[in-house]
Amino acid sequence: MWKRIRALIGTSIAALGLAGCGAGGPQLPAQDDAATIGRDKQVFVEALKPRAEGRPVVAVLALNEGTEMTDLLLPYAVLQRAGVAEVRIVAPRAGRVSLYPALMEVDGAQDMASFDRMHPSGADYVIVPAMRTDDDPAVTGWLQRQARQGARMVGVCSGARVLGRAGLLDGRRFAGHWYDRSTLLRRHPGATYVPNRRYVVDRGIATTTGITASVPTMLALVEAIGGRQRAQALASELGVAGWEPAHDSAPFKLDAGRAWTYVVDKAAFWRDERWRVEVQEGSDDIALALAADAWTRTGRVSVAASASGPVRLKSGLLLAAQPVDGGAPRVPLSPALRPVQQLDLTLCEIAERYGPARRDRVMQEMEYPRPGNACERAASARS
């Protein structure tokens, strides 16, 4: 309890301190005409094309004590479905990885030492999610070794902070979650923030905006490895119209009103309802992660996976689960939707239950630029 209170105080101070702050430091203007966007996408794809023949190795990095669930599950699931690379979750210790913000865990991580023995030349690509702490020595040291061996890195969302701790943002252009912008520029004064781009690459180090940028970024990586046709087919399967880098950064900021609401919500953690999401063999990782992540970020719900025992998700990952009180509210998942469409439906359900303001707060945290008529489209797709 006291650990949670201390963490809350620190987070609250940070939120209030960032309210009203500009990005500070150097920024590059981003041109938003179609030709420039197309060129930026092609630059990203070309920069991440395989350097050698054969099936590339992708390490999705995790911290056993806590890794952001969507940042971890979505890249892993998208790349597994693409079938263009050998994909492994790698962590300091083998076995279980705790996820946040939902109360879930996955099994099957390979420890760094055994990965290094299996792949002495290093990974071809390393995906770096947000982690509970951004300066774990084992993680930082391993990233530095992988970079020296030539691995290309993709920092998803606040994974940019982890890359920064390893010294891999210095002197580079970067994206990153909007909340981290000032922190990253303060820590890395030689780095340059690029607005209005979901993903950016600079000399082998790629970074993305907030949580929901993981799917378009992974589709761009799939295009780099397996070609545009494979990426297009996968995008259709996932329910994604495109994976261009264009992004409007302007709405994503923390003003004083939003900061105060955030602090009040976090302070009232005792109001959390315990919800369950029912999972079974073959449950879709992407839909599960997006829905559980979004509901948890309302500040009113904590979500746990409910099943009679561990279940194998569609990607092959083993999700730890146990029975949850049948009286607990259930997170609604719609199997009729394509995986990424689940987020639109979830946001509409959040607005119905808690109001549009709370839905908008979730969208801010997930840095999700929801297009108009999303509720109607999600309802139509479900029917």
Side-chain angles (χ1 to χ4, degrees):
M1 172 69 77
W2 287 109
K3 283 185 179 179
R4 186 166 185 180
I5 291 172
R6 285 196 297 270
L8 164 66
I9 292 170
T11 303
S12 301
I13 291 171
L16 289 171
L18 283 173
C21 291
Q27 297 187 43
L28 287 179
Q31 302 299 320
D32 290 322
D33 60 276
T36 302
I37 291 167
R39 185 192 65 212
D40 287 354
K41 177 186 172 185
Q42 194 57 35
V43 165
F44 188 91
V45 169
E46 291 295 328
L48 294 181
K49 283 190 173 180
R51 293 172 176 156
E53 296 293 327
R55 192 174 175 83
V57 176
V58 181
V60 182
L61 188 57
L63 182 67
N64 299 91
E65 291 79 9
T67 303
E68 211 288 333
M69 68 178 305
T70 303
D71 290 358
L72 179 72
L73 296 185
L74 266 61
Y76 184 83
V78 170
L79 293 172
Q80 284 284 34
R81 291 187 197 196
V84 296
E86 176 188 338
V87 189
R88 294 181 177 273
I89 292 180
V90 180
R93 300 186 307 280
R96 185 160 292 193
V97 174
S98 295
L99 305 177
Y100 71 88
L103 305 173
M104 297 188 197
E105 297 177 317
V106 291
D107 271 316
Q110 183 176 11
D111 66 273
M112 293 170 174
S114 68
F115 179 90
D116 292 345
R117 288 192 297 271
M118 184 178 293
H119 302 285
S121 299
D124 295 288
Y125 306 93
V126 178
I127 312 300
V128 185
M131 299 178 186
R132 186 70 74 182
T133 178
D134 61 22
D135 59 354
D136 180 83
V139 167
T140 299
W142 191 78
L143 281 173
Q144 291 168 338
R145 292 194 299 276
Q146 290 293 317
R148 286 195 296 269
Q149 291 178 294
R152 266 79 61 81
M153 310 278 178
V154 182
V156 177
C157 185
S158 293
R161 297 171 67 117
V162 183
L163 288 174
R165 291 295 197 185
L168 299 175
L169 288 188
D170 297 339
R172 284 185 165 91
R173 299 159 63 249
F174 72 93
H177 192 284
W178 62 267
Y179 186 89
D180 297 327
R181 197 177 307 155
S182 297
T183 298
L184 290 171
L185 287 168
R186 185 178 67 252
R187 289 180 180 175
H188 312 286
T192 303
Y193 166 67
V194 181
N196 300 327
R197 290 294 179 267
R198 289 197 285 191
Y199 49 78
V200 172
V201 65
D202 188 341
R203 288 167 289 156
I205 305 297
T207 47
T208 83
T209 55
I211 300 166
T212 53
S214 56
V215 169
T217 306
M218 290 305 106
L219 286 170
L221 179 56
V222 169
E223 181 179 351
I225 299 171
R228 180 170 178 79
Q229 188 173 359
R230 181 68 195 106
Q232 187 64 65
L234 183 58
S236 178
E237 177 187 332
L238 299 177
V240 176
W243 57 96
E244 293 76 15
H247 176 68
D248 184 5
S249 301
F252 298 100
K253 56 188 175 183
L254 192 66
D255 58 28
R258 284 174 176 160
W260 180 247
T261 300
Y262 181 81
V263 170
V264 170
D265 281 346
K266 293 295 183 184
F269 59 82
W270 59 83
R271 296 185 310 190
D272 284 2
E273 294 182 86
R274 173 96 165 179
W275 284 30
R276 73 189 194 279
V277 57
E278 294 174 351
V279 292
Q280 57 189 355
E281 291 293 312
S283 285
D284 191 284
D285 318 51
I286 296 172
L288 169 68
L290 289 171
D293 203 323
W295 278 107
T296 303
R297 290 180 185 279
T298 63
R300 299 294 180 86
V301 170
S302 61
V303 179
S306 180
S308 59
V311 299
R312 189 76 59 181
L313 298 174
K314 187 170 183 176
S315 70
L317 269 182
L318 192 65
L319 178 72
Q322 58 187 13
V324 176
D325 178 10
R330 183 173 60 86
V331 171
L333 294 177
S334 178
L337 293 174
R338 294 176 184 178
V340 175
Q341 294 171 335
Q342 179 65 52
L343 180 57
D344 280 336
L345 182 62
T346 297
L347 289 167
C348 296
E349 291 165 341
I350 288 170
E352 290 172 4
R353 187 177 184 93
Y354 296 123
R358 195 160 296 272
R359 174 205 59 203
D360 292 348
R361 167 242 172 98
V362 172
M363 290 169 60
Q364 280 279 321
E365 287 200 22
M366 300 184 80
E367 200 161 347
Y368 184 53
R370 186 173 66 96
N373 301 320
C375 293
E376 291 82 353
R377 284 200 306 276
S380 175
R382 181 172 54 175
S383 61

